[in-house]
Amino acid sequence: MGLEIAGLSAGYGPVTVLRGVDFTARPGEVTCIMGRNGAGKTTLMKAIMGLLPGTGSVRVAGVEVLGLPAHRVPGHGLAWVPQGRRLFGPLTVAENLEIGGLLRGNRPEIRAHVLRLFPRLGERLGQVAATLSGGEQQMLAIARALCLEPKVLLLDEPTEGLQPSMIALIRDAVGQLRAEGVAVVLVEQRVEAVLKMADRVAFMAHGRVAEMVSAADLAPGARQFAEFVGV
Amino acid sequence: MSFGPFLLLALMEGLVTAAVLALAASGLSLVFGVMRVVNVAHGEFYMLGAVIAWFVTTLVPGPAWAGFLVALAVAPVAVGALAAAADRLVLRRLDYDPEATIVATIGLLYMIQQAALSFYGPDARPVAAPFDWRLQLPWFGYSGYKLFVVLAAAVVLLALWLFMTRSKVGLVMRATQVDRDVAQAFGIDVDLVYMAVFGIGAALAAVAAVLIVPIQQAHYLMGHDPLLLSFIVVIIGGLGSLRGTVVAALVIGLSDGVISMFFSPTLAKILATLLVALVLVFRPQGLFGVRDR
């Protein structure tokens, strides 16, 4: 079931950014979203999370979540790793994870699972999040979202500005989540990363999903990268 | 009396001012820190706490301490509930827009003030201190109740600090303070948090007022000075920083005590306002505030 979006329109006040987005993300798959700046990728993430008013339909595991108050959306199995991480900077690593696990009662087994995925965080539980390195902050942002035990995980440019070793680590984590049956939606601009991680790729332009193709049908020089991403 | 005892007396008076100021200002700071709302009606919540304390101590029979204890419980709850209702009915409808909420809380200020004038009257009325014990020093006697005010304020501030740093609700409030949208994305009902924060902020002002009213009397215009001084304290300490609020309250309170005694209360206010100006010019985020969050 995963995530099913139909005819989603949303924006900021009088400015409409999304104009009838149709999109699906299946469990156990990584669906990448690509597009130029301003195509509506981040707006789509926010609209899915209920942070922007919208029309149309957003269903998670068959349950309609569009129109719910934003704080009730994650309870249906949606977790979001925002662009730029947006950690609770003055809070410690442990406190960030605790906020992540509020809706699941902060069960120890979830915390243990997350720390197995990112063992480095286990060594820094008492450290203030803002003082972590960029890669560690990204790990924490993902770990915090995983404390929700999501059915659908939205990742907005998680490898942005990271060194290659950190990118590999996050790629491994995404691979493991896919193996666990999570529907992963990944906003990503780097072609190489997309080709390595994605099962399917949605290309956005002008607030719509213009094309959705299997990653197996894409090569580094494919027409879609030039047309929708400009690379 | 020689200089030393005079200075000691001035510092003790300043400490009482600082304690009450720290309580009132911590409420204002909490509201701004979490909600980004500049609550201009904060002084009126303070006044309301004092007025309710007068009503309660008048109505409760028996010894003065009994009425005082009931007032200490009832006034913060009543004022907190009123503030929570104001949040629900007014601020939420404005979507916590910074400019609109300033105008709305100015309106709230006049509504509460005029309601107090209508139902309580224009007279300043005394509330009996809960006990009448004096600390006899070699140079002068000092009100034991004033020392109790300092102790009580310290206990409440410690409780507030533990609540914010050790409890789950405090953690949720701190997370909301950092990033409202992301907090919602983890299931935090931000509207509920804001309502609670606005209520707690007002309740803290009411606690401060109940503590001070046996010393100062309850009056419907008594909210002006605490509002001004609270703003001075939170600007100097850093908006949203509890630690900064307490430190700044100590600086302002103690200097107010000393300067008022040796020079004049007006000069104390002038210097406090000058300090605010200097902080705004050279360290706009305050002594303990964070520039970018």
Side-chain angles (χ1 to χ4, degrees), chain B residues 49-107:
Chain B
V51 167
I52 290 173
W54 180 84
F55 275 114
V56 171
T57 51
T58 306
L59 291 173
V60 173
W65 61 262
F68 179 81
L69 283 182
V70 175
L72 203 51
V74 168
V77 171
V79 172
L82 177 74
D87 169 81
R88 178 71 184 82
L89 296 173
V90 181
L91 304 184
R92 191 185 300 182
R93 287 167 193 262
L94 299 172
D95 200 23
Y96 303 100
D97 176 76
E99 287 86 10
T101 51
I102 288 176
V103 176
T105 55
I106 290 172

CSV table of all heavy atoms in Angstrom, one decimal, chain B residues 49-107:
chain,number,residue,atom,x,y,z
B,49,GLY,N,-3.3,38.4,39.6
B,49,GLY,CA,-2.8,37.5,40.6
B,49,GLY,C,-2.9,38.2,42.0
B,49,GLY,O,-3.4,37.6,43.0
B,50,ALA,N,-2.5,39.5,42.1
B,50,ALA,CA,-2.6,40.2,43.3
B,50,ALA,C,-4.0,40.5,43.7
B,50,ALA,O,-4.4,40.3,44.9
B,50,ALA,CB,-1.8,41.5,43.2
B,51,VAL,N,-4.8,40.8,42.8
B,51,VAL,CA,-6.2,41.1,43.1
B,51,VAL,C,-7.0,39.9,43.5
B,51,VAL,O,-7.7,39.9,44.5
B,51,VAL,CB,-6.9,41.8,41.8
B,51,VAL,CG1,-8.4,41.8,42.0
B,51,VAL,CG2,-6.4,43.2,41.6
B,52,ILE,N,-6.7,38.8,42.9
B,52,ILE,CA,-7.4,37.5,43.3
B,52,ILE,C,-6.9,37.1,44.7
B,52,ILE,O,-7.6,36.7,45.5
B,52,ILE,CB,-7.1,36.4,42.2
B,52,ILE,CG1,-7.8,36.7,40.9
B,52,ILE,CG2,-7.5,35.0,42.8
B,52,ILE,CD1,-7.5,35.8,39.8
B,53,ALA,N,-5.6,37.4,44.9
B,53,ALA,CA,-5.1,37.1,46.3
B,53,ALA,C,-5.8,37.9,47.3
B,53,ALA,O,-6.1,37.4,48.4
B,53,ALA,CB,-3.6,37.4,46.3
B,54,TRP,N,-6.1,39.2,47.0
B,54,TRP,CA,-6.9,40.0,48.0
B,54,TRP,C,-8.3,39.4,48.2
B,54,TRP,O,-8.7,39.2,49.3
B,54,TRP,CB,-7.0,41.4,47.5
B,54,TRP,CG,-7.8,42.3,48.4
B,54,TRP,CD1,-7.3,42.9,49.5
B,54,TRP,CD2,-9.2,42.5,48.4
B,54,TRP,NE1,-8.3,43.6,50.2
B,54,TRP,CE2,-9.5,43.3,49.5
B,54,TRP,CE3,-10.2,42.2,47.6
B,54,TRP,CZ2,-10.8,43.8,49.8
B,54,TRP,CZ3,-11.5,42.6,47.8
B,54,TRP,CH2,-11.8,43.4,49.0
B,55,PHE,N,-9.0,39.0,47.1
B,55,PHE,CA,-10.3,38.4,47.2
B,55,PHE,C,-10.2,37.2,48.1
B,55,PHE,O,-11.0,37.0,49.0
B,55,PHE,CB,-10.9,38.1,45.8
B,55,PHE,CG,-11.6,39.3,45.2
B,55,PHE,CD1,-11.1,39.9,44.1
B,55,PHE,CD2,-12.7,39.9,45.8
B,55,PHE,CE1,-11.7,41.0,43.5
B,55,PHE,CE2,-13.4,41.0,45.2
B,55,PHE,CZ,-12.8,41.5,44.0
B,56,VAL,N,-9.3,36.3,47.8
B,56,VAL,CA,-9.2,35.0,48.4
B,56,VAL,C,-8.9,35.2,49.9
B,56,VAL,O,-9.6,34.6,50.8
B,56,VAL,CB,-8.1,34.1,47.8
B,56,VAL,CG1,-7.9,32.9,48.6
B,56,VAL,CG2,-8.6,33.7,46.4
B,57,THR,N,-7.9,36.0,50.2
B,57,THR,CA,-7.6,36.2,51.7
B,57,THR,C,-8.7,36.9,52.4
B,57,THR,O,-8.9,36.7,53.6
B,57,THR,CB,-6.3,37.1,51.8
B,57,THR,OG1,-6.4,38.3,51.1
B,57,THR,CG2,-5.1,36.3,51.4
B,58,THR,N,-9.5,37.7,51.7
B,58,THR,CA,-10.7,38.3,52.4
B,58,THR,C,-11.8,37.3,52.6
B,58,THR,O,-12.5,37.3,53.7
B,58,THR,CB,-11.3,39.4,51.5
B,58,THR,OG1,-10.2,40.3,51.1
B,58,THR,CG2,-12.4,40.2,52.1
B,59,LEU,N,-11.9,36.3,51.7
B,59,LEU,CA,-13.0,35.3,51.8
B,59,LEU,C,-12.7,34.2,52.7
B,59,LEU,O,-13.6,33.6,53.3
B,59,LEU,CB,-13.4,34.8,50.4
B,59,LEU,CG,-14.0,35.8,49.5
B,59,LEU,CD1,-14.2,35.2,48.1
B,59,LEU,CD2,-15.4,36.2,50.0
B,60,VAL,N,-11.4,33.8,52.8
B,60,VAL,CA,-11.1,32.6,53.6
B,60,VAL,C,-11.0,33.0,55.0
B,60,VAL,O,-10.2,33.8,55.4
B,60,VAL,CB,-9.7,32.0,53.1
B,60,VAL,CG1,-9.3,30.9,54.0
B,60,VAL,CG2,-9.9,31.5,51.6
B,61,PRO,N,-11.7,32.3,55.9
B,61,PRO,CA,-11.7,32.6,57.3
B,61,PRO,C,-10.5,32.0,58.0
B,61,PRO,O,-9.8,31.2,57.3
B,61,PRO,CB,-13.0,32.0,57.8
B,61,PRO,CG,-13.3,30.9,56.9
B,61,PRO,CD,-12.7,31.2,55.6
B,62,GLY,N,-10.2,32.4,59.2
B,62,GLY,CA,-9.1,31.8,59.9
B,62,GLY,C,-7.8,32.6,59.9
B,62,GLY,O,-7.9,33.8,59.5
B,63,PRO,N,-6.7,32.0,60.2
B,63,PRO,CA,-5.5,32.8,60.3
B,63,PRO,C,-5.0,33.3,58.9
B,63,PRO,O,-5.4,32.7,57.9
B,63,PRO,CB,-4.5,31.8,60.9
B,63,PRO,CG,-5.0,30.5,60.6
B,63,PRO,CD,-6.5,30.6,60.6
B,64,ALA,N,-4.1,34.3,58.9
B,64,ALA,CA,-3.7,34.9,57.7
B,64,ALA,C,-3.0,33.9,56.8
B,64,ALA,O,-3.1,34.0,55.6
B,64,ALA,CB,-2.8,36.1,58.0
B,65,TRP,N,-2.2,33.0,57.4
B,65,TRP,CA,-1.4,32.1,56.6
B,65,TRP,C,-2.3,31.1,55.8
B,65,TRP,O,-2.0,30.7,54.7
B,65,TRP,CB,-0.4,31.3,57.4
B,65,TRP,CG,-1.0,30.4,58.5
B,65,TRP,CD1,-1.1,30.8,59.8
B,65,TRP,CD2,-1.5,29.1,58.4
B,65,TRP,NE1,-1.7,29.7,60.5
B,65,TRP,CE2,-2.0,28.7,59.6
B,65,TRP,CE3,-1.7,28.2,57.3
B,65,TRP,CZ2,-2.5,27.5,59.9
B,65,TRP,CZ3,-2.3,27.0,57.5
B,65,TRP,CH2,-2.7,26.6,58.8
B,66,ALA,N,-3.5,30.8,56.3
B,66,ALA,CA,-4.4,29.9,55.6
B,66,ALA,C,-4.9,30.6,54.3
B,66,ALA,O,-4.9,30.0,53.3
B,66,ALA,CB,-5.6,29.6,56.5
B,67,GLY,N,-5.4,31.8,54.5
B,67,GLY,CA,-5.8,32.6,53.3
B,67,GLY,C,-4.7,32.7,52.3
B,67,GLY,O,-5.0,32.6,51.1
B,68,PHE,N,-3.5,33.0,52.8
B,68,PHE,CA,-2.4,33.2,51.9
B,68,PHE,C,-2.1,32.0,51.1
B,68,PHE,O,-1.9,32.0,49.9
B,68,PHE,CB,-1.2,33.7,52.7
B,68,PHE,CG,0.0,33.9,51.8
B,68,PHE,CD1,0.2,35.1,51.1
B,68,PHE,CD2,1.0,32.9,51.7
B,68,PHE,CE1,1.3,35.3,50.4
B,68,PHE,CE2,2.1,33.1,50.9
B,68,PHE,CZ,2.3,34.3,50.2
B,69,LEU,N,-2.1,30.8,51.8
B,69,LEU,CA,-1.8,29.6,51.1
B,69,LEU,C,-2.9,29.2,50.0
B,69,LEU,O,-2.5,28.8,48.9
B,69,LEU,CB,-1.7,28.4,52.1
B,69,LEU,CG,-0.4,28.3,52.9
B,69,LEU,CD1,-0.5,27.1,53.9
B,69,LEU,CD2,0.8,28.2,52.0
B,70,VAL,N,-4.1,29.5,50.4
B,70,VAL,CA,-5.2,29.3,49.4
B,70,VAL,C,-5.0,30.2,48.2
B,70,VAL,O,-5.1,29.8,47.0
B,70,VAL,CB,-6.6,29.5,50.0
B,70,VAL,CG1,-7.7,29.3,49.0
B,70,VAL,CG2,-6.8,28.5,51.1
B,71,ALA,N,-4.6,31.4,48.5
B,71,ALA,CA,-4.4,32.4,47.4
B,71,ALA,C,-3.2,32.0,46.5
B,71,ALA,O,-3.3,32.1,45.3
B,71,ALA,CB,-4.1,33.8,48.0
B,72,LEU,N,-2.2,31.4,47.2
B,72,LEU,CA,-1.0,31.0,46.4
B,72,LEU,C,-1.4,29.8,45.5
B,72,LEU,O,-0.7,29.6,44.5
B,72,LEU,CB,0.1,30.6,47.4
B,72,LEU,CG,1.5,30.6,46.9
B,72,LEU,CD1,1.9,31.9,46.3
B,72,LEU,CD2,2.5,30.3,48.1
B,73,ALA,N,-2.4,29.1,45.8
B,73,ALA,CA,-2.8,28.0,45.0
B,73,ALA,C,-3.8,28.4,43.9
B,73,ALA,O,-3.8,28.0,42.8
B,73,ALA,CB,-3.4,26.8,45.9
B,74,VAL,N,-4.8,29.2,44.4
B,74,VAL,CA,-5.9,29.6,43.5
B,74,VAL,C,-5.5,30.6,42.5
B,74,VAL,O,-5.9,30.5,41.3
B,74,VAL,CB,-7.1,30.1,44.4
B,74,VAL,CG1,-8.2,30.8,43.5
B,74,VAL,CG2,-7.7,29.0,45.2
B,75,ALA,N,-4.8,31.7,42.9
B,75,ALA,CA,-4.5,32.8,41.9
B,75,ALA,C,-3.8,32.3,40.7
B,75,ALA,O,-4.2,32.6,39.6
B,75,ALA,CB,-3.8,33.9,42.6
B,76,PRO,N,-2.7,31.6,40.8
B,76,PRO,CA,-2.0,31.1,39.6
B,76,PRO,C,-2.8,30.2,38.7
B,76,PRO,O,-2.8,30.4,37.5
B,76,PRO,CB,-0.8,30.3,40.1
B,76,PRO,CG,-0.6,30.8,41.5
B,76,PRO,CD,-1.9,31.1,42.0
B,77,VAL,N,-3.7,29.4,39.3
B,77,VAL,CA,-4.5,28.5,38.5
B,77,VAL,C,-5.5,29.3,37.8
B,77,VAL,O,-5.8,29.1,36.6
B,77,VAL,CB,-5.2,27.4,39.4
B,77,VAL,CG1,-6.2,26.6,38.6
B,77,VAL,CG2,-4.1,26.5,40.0
B,78,ALA,N,-6.2,30.3,38.5
B,78,ALA,CA,-7.2,31.1,37.8
B,78,ALA,C,-6.6,31.9,36.7
B,78,ALA,O,-7.2,32.0,35.6
B,78,ALA,CB,-7.9,32.0,38.9
B,79,VAL,N,-5.5,32.6,37.0
B,79,VAL,CA,-4.9,33.4,36.0
B,79,VAL,C,-4.4,32.6,34.8
B,79,VAL,O,-4.5,33.0,33.7
B,79,VAL,CB,-3.7,34.3,36.7
B,79,VAL,CG1,-2.9,35.0,35.6
B,79,VAL,CG2,-4.3,35.2,37.7
B,80,GLY,N,-3.8,31.4,35.1
B,80,GLY,CA,-3.3,30.5,34.1
B,80,GLY,C,-4.5,30.1,33.2
B,80,GLY,O,-4.3,30.0,32.0
B,81,ALA,N,-5.6,29.8,33.8
B,81,ALA,CA,-6.8,29.3,33.0
B,81,ALA,C,-7.3,30.5,32.1
B,81,ALA,O,-7.6,30.2,31.0
B,81,ALA,CB,-7.9,28.9,34.0
B,82,LEU,N,-7.3,31.7,32.7
B,82,LEU,CA,-7.7,32.8,31.9
B,82,LEU,C,-6.8,33.1,30.7
B,82,LEU,O,-7.2,33.3,29.5
B,82,LEU,CB,-7.7,34.1,32.7
B,82,LEU,CG,-8.1,35.4,32.0
B,82,LEU,CD1,-9.6,35.4,31.7
B,82,LEU,CD2,-7.7,36.6,32.8
B,83,ALA,N,-5.5,32.9,30.9
B,83,ALA,CA,-4.5,33.1,29.9
B,83,ALA,C,-4.6,32.0,28.8
B,83,ALA,O,-4.6,32.3,27.6
B,83,ALA,CB,-3.1,33.1,30.4
B,84,ALA,N,-4.9,30.8,29.3
B,84,ALA,CA,-5.0,29.7,28.3
B,84,ALA,C,-6.3,29.9,27.4
B,84,ALA,O,-6.3,29.7,26.2
B,84,ALA,CB,-5.2,28.4,29.1
B,85,ALA,N,-7.3,30.5,28.1
B,85,ALA,CA,-8.5,30.8,27.3
B,85,ALA,C,-8.3,31.9,26.3
B,85,ALA,O,-8.7,31.8,25.2
B,85,ALA,CB,-9.7,31.2,28.3
B,86,ALA,N,-7.5,32.9,26.7
B,86,ALA,CA,-7.1,34.0,25.8
B,86,ALA,C,-6.3,33.5,24.6
B,86,ALA,O,-6.5,33.9,23.5
B,86,ALA,CB,-6.3,35.1,26.6
B,87,ASP,N,-5.4,32.5,24.9
B,87,ASP,CA,-4.7,31.9,23.8
B,87,ASP,C,-5.6,31.2,22.8
B,87,ASP,O,-5.5,31.4,21.6
B,87,ASP,CB,-3.7,30.9,24.4
B,87,ASP,CG,-3.0,30.1,23.3
B,87,ASP,OD1,-2.1,30.5,22.7
B,87,ASP,OD2,-3.5,28.9,23.1
B,88,ARG,N,-6.5,30.4,23.4
B,88,ARG,CA,-7.4,29.6,22.6
B,88,ARG,C,-8.3,30.5,21.7
B,88,ARG,O,-8.6,30.3,20.6
B,88,ARG,CB,-8.2,28.7,23.5
B,88,ARG,CG,-9.3,27.8,22.8
B,88,ARG,CD,-8.6,26.8,22.0
B,88,ARG,NE,-9.6,26.0,21.3
B,88,ARG,CZ,-10.1,26.3,20.1
B,88,ARG,NH1,-9.7,27.4,19.5
B,88,ARG,NH2,-10.9,25.5,19.5
B,89,LEU,N,-8.8,31.6,22.4
B,89,LEU,CA,-9.9,32.4,21.7
B,89,LEU,C,-9.3,33.5,20.8
B,89,LEU,O,-9.9,34.0,19.9
B,89,LEU,CB,-10.8,33.0,22.8
B,89,LEU,CG,-11.6,32.0,23.6
B,89,LEU,CD1,-12.3,32.7,24.7
B,89,LEU,CD2,-12.6,31.3,22.7
B,90,VAL,N,-8.1,34.0,21.2
B,90,VAL,CA,-7.5,35.1,20.5
B,90,VAL,C,-6.3,34.8,19.7
B,90,VAL,O,-6.2,34.9,18.5
B,90,VAL,CB,-7.3,36.3,21.4
B,90,VAL,CG1,-6.7,37.5,20.7
B,90,VAL,CG2,-8.5,36.7,22.2
B,91,LEU,N,-5.2,34.4,20.4
B,91,LEU,CA,-3.9,34.2,19.8
B,91,LEU,C,-3.9,33.1,18.7
B,91,LEU,O,-3.3,33.3,17.6
B,91,LEU,CB,-2.8,34.0,20.8
B,91,LEU,CG,-2.7,35.0,22.0
B,91,LEU,CD1,-1.5,34.6,22.9
B,91,LEU,CD2,-2.5,36.4,21.4
B,92,ARG,N,-4.5,32.0,19.0
B,92,ARG,CA,-4.6,30.9,18.0
B,92,ARG,C,-5.3,31.4,16.7
B,92,ARG,O,-4.9,31.0,15.6
B,92,ARG,CB,-5.3,29.7,18.6
B,92,ARG,CG,-5.0,28.5,17.7
B,92,ARG,CD,-5.8,27.3,18.2
B,92,ARG,NE,-5.4,26.9,19.5
B,92,ARG,CZ,-6.0,25.8,20.1
B,92,ARG,NH1,-6.9,25.1,19.5
B,92,ARG,NH2,-5.6,25.5,21.4
B,93,ARG,N,-6.3,32.2,16.9
B,93,ARG,CA,-7.0,32.7,15.7
B,93,ARG,C,-6.2,33.6,14.8
B,93,ARG,O,-6.4,33.8,13.7
B,93,ARG,CB,-8.3,33.4,16.1
B,93,ARG,CG,-9.4,32.4,16.6
B,93,ARG,CD,-10.5,33.2,17.3
B,93,ARG,NE,-11.4,32.3,18.1
B,93,ARG,CZ,-12.5,31.8,17.6
B,93,ARG,NH1,-12.9,32.2,16.4
B,93,ARG,NH2,-13.2,31.0,18.3
B,94,LEU,N,-5.2,34.2,15.5
B,94,LEU,CA,-4.3,35.1,14.7
B,94,LEU,C,-3.1,34.3,14.2
B,94,LEU,O,-2.1,34.9,13.6
B,94,LEU,CB,-3.8,36.2,15.7
B,94,LEU,CG,-4.9,37.1,16.2
B,94,LEU,CD1,-4.3,38.1,17.3
B,94,LEU,CD2,-5.5,37.9,15.1
B,95,ASP,N,-3.1,33.0,14.4
B,95,ASP,CA,-2.0,32.1,14.0
B,95,ASP,C,-0.7,32.6,14.5
B,95,ASP,O,0.4,32.4,13.9
B,95,ASP,CB,-1.9,32.1,12.4
B,95,ASP,CG,-1.2,30.8,12.0
B,95,ASP,OD1,-1.1,29.9,12.8
B,95,ASP,OD2,-0.6,30.9,10.9
B,96,TYR,N,-0.7,33.2,15.7
B,96,TYR,CA,0.5,33.6,16.5
B,96,TYR,C,1.4,34.6,15.6
B,96,TYR,O,2.6,34.6,15.8
B,96,TYR,CB,1.3,32.4,17.0
B,96,TYR,CG,0.4,31.5,17.8
B,96,TYR,CD1,-0.1,30.4,17.3
B,96,TYR,CD2,0.2,31.9,19.1
B,96,TYR,CE1,-1.0,29.6,18.1
B,96,TYR,CE2,-0.6,31.1,19.9
B,96,TYR,CZ,-1.2,29.9,19.4
B,96,TYR,OH,-2.0,29.2,20.2
B,97,ASP,N,0.7,35.3,14.7
B,97,ASP,CA,1.5,36.3,14.0
B,97,ASP,C,2.1,37.3,14.9
B,97,ASP,O,1.4,37.9,15.8
B,97,ASP,CB,0.5,37.1,13.0
B,97,ASP,CG,1.2,38.2,12.2
B,97,ASP,OD1,1.9,37.8,11.3
B,97,ASP,OD2,1.0,39.3,12.6
B,98,PRO,N,3.4,37.6,14.8
B,98,PRO,CA,4.1,38.4,15.8
B,98,PRO,C,3.5,39.8,16.0
B,98,PRO,O,3.2,40.3,17.1
B,98,PRO,CB,5.5,38.5,15.3
B,98,PRO,CG,5.7,37.3,14.5
B,98,PRO,CD,4.4,37.0,13.9
B,99,GLU,N,3.2,40.5,14.9
B,99,GLU,CA,2.7,41.8,15.0
B,99,GLU,C,1.2,41.8,15.5
B,99,GLU,O,0.9,42.6,16.4
B,99,GLU,CB,2.7,42.6,13.6
B,99,GLU,CG,4.1,43.0,13.2
B,99,GLU,CD,4.8,41.9,12.4
B,99,GLU,OE1,4.1,40.9,12.1
B,99,GLU,OE2,6.0,42.0,12.2
B,100,ALA,N,0.4,40.9,15.0
B,100,ALA,CA,-1.0,40.9,15.4
B,100,ALA,C,-1.1,40.5,16.9
B,100,ALA,O,-2.0,41.0,17.6
B,100,ALA,CB,-1.7,39.8,14.5
B,101,THR,N,-0.3,39.6,17.4
B,101,THR,CA,-0.4,39.2,18.8
B,101,THR,C,0.0,40.4,19.7
B,101,THR,O,-0.5,40.5,20.8
B,101,THR,CB,0.5,38.0,19.1
B,101,THR,OG1,1.8,38.2,18.6
B,101,THR,CG2,-0.2,36.8,18.5
B,102,ILE,N,0.9,41.2,19.3
B,102,ILE,CA,1.3,42.4,20.1
B,102,ILE,C,0.0,43.3,20.3
B,102,ILE,O,-0.4,43.7,21.4
B,102,ILE,CB,2.4,43.2,19.5
B,102,ILE,CG1,3.7,42.4,19.6
B,102,ILE,CG2,2.6,44.6,20.2
B,102,ILE,CD1,4.9,43.1,19.0
B,103,VAL,N,-0.7,43.6,19.2
B,103,VAL,CA,-1.9,44.4,19.2
B,103,VAL,C,-2.9,43.7,20.1
B,103,VAL,O,-3.6,44.3,20.9
B,103,VAL,CB,-2.4,44.7,17.8
B,103,VAL,CG1,-3.7,45.4,17.8
B,103,VAL,CG2,-1.3,45.4,17.0
B,104,ALA,N,-3.1,42.4,19.9
B,104,ALA,CA,-4.1,41.6,20.6
B,104,ALA,C,-3.8,41.7,22.1
B,104,ALA,O,-4.7,41.8,22.9
B,104,ALA,CB,-4.1,40.2,20.1
B,105,THR,N,-2.5,41.5,22.5
B,105,THR,CA,-2.3,41.5,23.9
B,105,THR,C,-2.4,42.9,24.5
B,105,THR,O,-2.7,43.1,25.7
B,105,THR,CB,-0.9,40.9,24.2
B,105,THR,OG1,0.1,41.5,23.5
B,105,THR,CG2,-0.9,39.4,23.9
B,106,ILE,N,-2.2,44.0,23.7
B,106,ILE,CA,-2.5,45.3,24.2
B,106,ILE,C,-3.9,45.4,24.5
B,106,ILE,O,-4.3,46.0,25.5
B,106,ILE,CB,-2.0,46.4,23.2
B,106,ILE,CG1,-0.5,46.4,23.1
B,106,ILE,CG2,-2.6,47.8,23.5
B,106,ILE,CD1,0.0,47.3,21.9
B,107,GLY,N,-4.8,44.9,23.6
B,107,GLY,CA,-6.2,44.9,23.8
B,107,GLY,C,-6.6,44.1,25.1
B,107,GLY,O,-7.4,44.6,25.9
